[in-house]
Amino acid sequence: MDEFIAGLPKCELHLHIEGTLEPELKFELARRNGIELPYRSAEEARAAYVFDSLTSFLVGYYASMDVLRTEPDFYDLATAYLVKAAAQNVRYAEIFFDPQAHTSRGVPFDLVIRGLRRAILDAERREGIRAQLIMCFLRDSEAGFAMATLLESLPYREWIAGVGLDSDERGNPPVKFERVFARAREEGYLLTMHCDVDQENTTEHIRQCLDVIGVDRIDHGVNALDDPALVDKARERGIGFTVCPVSNGFVTDGPKAEVVRRMLDLGLRVTINSDDPAYFEAYVAENLQLVRDELGLTRDELARLERNAFEIAWLPPAIRDGYLAELAEYTATAP
C-alpha cells in the first residue's frame, strides 16, 4: 500500500508556501541575508516548533518569514517545495502565498511574486510538475489592507489563479471581507476561504462562505458536518474541502481522520493536503498514509481522494481530463 500511495498521481490544493520553509533552508537564507537566528542549528530550530493551537502556531510561523528578503529567497523556497512534491508524484499543486506578511515588513509585492512565478515555470520544465498561485489575505488584518493588496495584484492577474483567506479566524468572520472578495470575483479571480477546525462560530463562518461570499471551495471546513443543511448545500454545489489531517493533530485534539470517512460516505468532495509541511513534518504522501492507516482506506478510496482533488482544481478541462486519465490508468494497472 505504501508503494501504491508513492506512485499515485497526486493533486495538492492546500499548501502554504511559507509553511514549506524547512529549518535547513531557513539557516541558509539567514546566512545569505546577514540575519542572526536564535538557534544554533537546524535541529534546534525544528525542536522549537512546539504549538498546540492555531494561535500559538502562527506566532512562530510569521517570525520565521523574516529570512525571506529577496527574489532569490522566494525562488529557492518555492523550488524546494516543488522538487519535494514532484518526488512524491504530485502532478499539480495550487500554492497559497501571503503577500501582506511580506509587504508589511518592507518586501515589495513584485519581488515576492516574481520569485514564486519563476520557480513554478522552472519546476514545470525540469520536474514536470504544474502549479498555480493563490493569493491569501490575512484575516486578522484590516479589510482595507486586503483591498489594497488585491489592487496591487492586478498587474500580475495572469499569474494568480484565485484568492483565499487565512491566518487567525477568531473574531474575523468571512463577511469582514465581503467587499474584497466581491471585487476579486469581478476581476476574474476564483475564491476560497479557510474555515479552520473547531473555531468559534465555525458553522456560521462556513454558512457565510457559501451564502454570502460564494466561494468555489473551502479550506479545512470539516465542521460543516455539524450542520446537515451545510452538508446538503455543499454537496449540491459540488464544493470541495481541502482537509489537512496531520496539521489538525498539531492545532486541535487530533487528526480528524474520521471526518474524511464521513465526508466520503456523504458524497462530499474531500481532498487530502499537507498545509504547512515543514512545521508538521509531513508532506502530502505522509498525510495520505495517515488517513490510510487510521481508516483502513482501500486503493479505490485513495484514488477517489485524488480524483476529487483533480476535479475541483482550478484547471482548464482539457488539462484536468489528462490528469484524471493518468490517475485512472495508474489505478487500473498498479501492481
Side-chain angles (χ1 to χ4, degrees), residues 161-174:
V163 299
L165 185 68
D166 62 13
S167 202
D168 199 340
E169 191 168 342
R170 293 179 307 166
N172 297 297

Side-chain angles (χ1 to χ4, degrees), residues 41 73 102 112 146 192 202 215 228 241 287 305:
S41 68
D73 296 345
H102 309 301
V112 175
T192 187
T202 183
V215 296
F241 293 86
N287 276 268
L305 291 168

Side-chain angles (χ1 to χ4, degrees), residues 100 136-150 163-185 191-194 205 208-209 212-215:
Q100 291 166 276
C136 282
F137 304 115
L138 302 183
R139 67 195 313 157
D140 45 2
S141 294
E142 293 302 316
F145 188 10
M147 183 66 83
T149 301
L150 173 64
V163 299
L165 185 68
D166 62 13
S167 202
D168 199 340
E169 191 168 342
R170 293 179 307 166
N172 297 297
V175 293
K176 174 181 174 181
F177 298 89
E178 181 179 359
R179 289 183 57 249
V180 179
F181 276 75
R183 176 63 185 273
R185 177 76 82 185
L191 311 181
T192 187
M193 282 186 168
H194 278 53
H205 290 182
Q208 290 175 14
C209 282
V212 181
I213 307 299
V215 296

Side-chain angles (χ1 to χ4, degrees), residues 5-293:
I5 290 174
L8 189 66
K10 301 174 187 68
C11 175
E12 175 142 56
L13 302 176
H14 188 144
L15 183 283
H16 299 269
I17 197 61
E18 293 90 353
T20 69
L21 181 58
E22 295 283 355
E24 292 79 9
L25 180 57
K26 183 192 300 186
F27 266 79
E28 169 58 24
L29 299 183
R31 182 199 60 77
R32 179 193 296 175
N33 294 318
I35 299 169
E36 185 173 347
L37 295 176
Y39 315 107
R40 290 171 295 182
S41 68
E43 292 74 20
E44 187 175 312
R46 193 181 299 279
Y49 291 168
V50 178
F51 32 80
D52 57 6
S53 67
L54 176 63
T55 302
S56 63
F57 162 70
L58 290 172
V59 171
Y61 179 71
Y62 289 121
S64 291
M65 293 184 199
D66 188 51
V67 301
L68 297 165
R69 302 283 184 90
T70 69
E71 180 181 330
D73 296 345
F74 288 94
Y75 175 88
D76 290 347
L77 175 68
T79 296
Y81 163 70
L82 290 164
V83 169
K84 174 71 172 182
Q88 293 197 345
N89 208 28
V90 175
R91 305 291 291 117
Y92 172 71
E94 291 177 3
I95 297 172
F96 296 130
F97 73 110
D98 288 330
Q100 291 166 276
H102 309 301
T103 59
S104 62
R105 55 191 179 85
V107 180
F109 186 102
D110 178 80
L111 181 154
V112 175
I113 196 167
R114 287 189 183 279
L116 299 177
R117 173 68 174 175
R118 189 161 55 89
I120 287 172
L121 294 177
D122 285 352
E124 183 172 358
R125 183 175 67 253
R126 296 171 183 168
E127 309 293 334
I129 181 173
R130 181 182 278 111
Q132 293 193 91
L133 294 172
I134 298 174
M135 179 178 68
C136 282
F137 304 115
L138 302 183
R139 67 195 313 157
D140 45 2
S141 294
E142 293 302 316
F145 188 10
M147 183 66 83
T149 301
L150 173 64
L151 298 178
E152 191 172 13
S153 77
L154 295 181
Y156 312 92
R157 172 66 191 84
E158 293 184 358
W159 296 357
I160 304 172
V163 299
L165 185 68
D166 62 13
S167 202
D168 199 340
E169 191 168 342
R170 293 179 307 166
N172 297 297
V175 293
K176 174 181 174 181
F177 298 89
E178 181 179 359
R179 289 183 57 249
V180 179
F181 276 75
R183 176 63 185 273
R185 177 76 82 185
E186 291 174 4
E187 298 292 346
Y189 287 116
L190 294 166
L191 311 181
T192 187
M193 282 186 168
H194 278 53
C195 289
D196 284 297
V197 181
D198 296 342
Q199 296 292 299
E200 183 180 9
N201 299 320
T202 183
T203 54
E204 170 59 18
H205 290 182
I206 295 170
R207 186 199 67 78
Q208 290 175 14
C209 282
L210 295 174
D211 293 347
V212 181
I213 307 299
V215 296
D216 299 289
R217 66 175 182 243
I218 295 176
D219 302 307
H220 299 298
V222 301
N223 293 103
L225 296 176
D226 299 340
D227 185 339
L230 291 176
V231 170
D232 291 343
K233 191 172 295 185
R235 184 171 51 230
E236 290 167 6
R237 295 186 188 177
I239 296 293
F241 293 86
T242 64
V243 177
C244 306
V246 172
S247 77
N248 288 343
F250 278 83
V251 300
T252 71
D253 60 358
K256 309 288 186 182
E258 70 281 359
V259 305
V260 176
R261 168 63 70 192
R262 290 179 61 195
M263 286 179 155
L264 284 171
D265 291 346
L266 288 166
L268 295 174
R269 291 171 126 176
V270 57
T271 70
I272 300 299
N273 310 271
S274 66
D275 205 357
D276 299 284
Y279 292 86
F280 307 131
E281 299 187 55
Y283 286 78
V284 68
E286 290 80 16
N287 276 268
L288 285 166
Q289 288 165 353
L290 182 147
V291 295
R292 184 275 316 275
D293 293 342

